[in-house]
Amino acid sequence: MSNKEAWVGTWRPHKPRGPIAALYGSPGPKYALPGLTGNTKHDPTKGKAPMYSFGIRHHQPNHDSSPGPKYLIPSNITRSGRDGTPAFSLHSRQKDPEVFKAPGPGKYSPENSEKWIFRSSPAYSLAGRSKEESTNQTPGPAAYSLPPVFGSKTVGKTAAPCFSICGRSKTGNFDEDLKNTPGPAAYKAVDPYIYMKKPPHFSMTGRNYTPCDSTMKPGPGAHYPERVTNTRAKAPSFSFGLRHSEYI
């Protein structure tokens, strides 16, 4: 190897001292092609013959999942409903009716019927104070006010002409403080080009961009035309077996 070869950073290319496995070893049949037999992972470019499969053997083939004869259907029920045969049944004996117990003489109080049969003098009684009156908060006479009779705000009355003296105005009076008036800087200066001739003016416009679509478009490297097999036939492909370890 020539000593005039260029350096690669701090490393100079030199002749290897021994064989390197990376220079002689290949990845082998790492990339397997889809098979042509079976139903799973079949080559989509090849046709498949009809396939049949056997049923699945259940764990309990003799297991009965029906509820069985647990529902008893009466004999008088048919597929069209209950039959019309008259049927009779015996009921239990009814209990004897209880004996009517009429009220005796002691149940009545004739002394309490004097005011309803005989004449009696008027009688009055004092009842207790009701609790509702303490919670009754109705407004008293002092809560109402009548409209005024004098002045200009009378209601339902004719009012005489009324005059009032206004306060002294602070604007335009002889004692007005003129230091609060606006100065010359409070007024905006008029543009002289409004009442004079205006020379031509030019300005630089902003940079214009070409109108285009800002969406992302796939480039040529995003497509794989070599994988398309719908519009053209696919060449036969084969694969080698697995490479076994060299140490076995």
Side-chain angles (χ1 to χ4, degrees), residues 64-71:
D64 191 4
S65 301
S66 62
K70 61 183 297 186
Y71 305 102

Side-chain angles (χ1 to χ4, degrees), residues 189-243:
V190 181
D191 191 0
Y193 296 125
I194 295 178
Y195 54 89
M196 296 178 63
K197 292 183 178 181
K198 183 177 180 181
H201 288 71
F202 304 94
S203 61
M204 298 180 65
T205 59
R207 178 176 294 176
N208 297 326
Y209 296 93
T210 306
C212 61
D213 191 3
S214 60
T215 57
M216 300 296 293
K217 304 295 191 305
H223 304 279
Y224 298 92
E226 65 277 2
R227 298 183 182 180
V228 178
T229 58
N230 296 330
T231 58
R232 58 183 178 179
K234 181 180 179 182
S237 54
F238 308 93
S239 61
F240 294 93
L242 299 177
R243 172 174 292 180

Side-chain angles (χ1 to χ4, degrees), residues 163-188:
F163 304 95
S164 61
I165 301 176
C166 299
R168 179 174 292 175
S169 176
K170 295 182 179 180
T171 304
N173 201 5
F174 65 92
D175 59 345
E176 181 182 0
D177 190 3
L178 299 179
K179 67 180 181 180
N180 295 327
T181 58
Y187 301 96
K188 184 179 179 181

Side-chain angles (χ1 to χ4, degrees), residues 149-161:
V149 183
F150 301 99
S152 60
K153 297 182 179 181
T154 58
V155 179
K157 301 289 184 181
T158 57

Side-chain angles (χ1 to χ4, degrees), residues 17-41:
R17 299 178 182 178
I20 301 176
L23 298 176
Y24 303 99
S26 62
K30 179 179 179 181
Y31 309 98
L33 297 176
L36 299 178
T37 59
N39 187 23
T40 59
K41 298 181 180 180

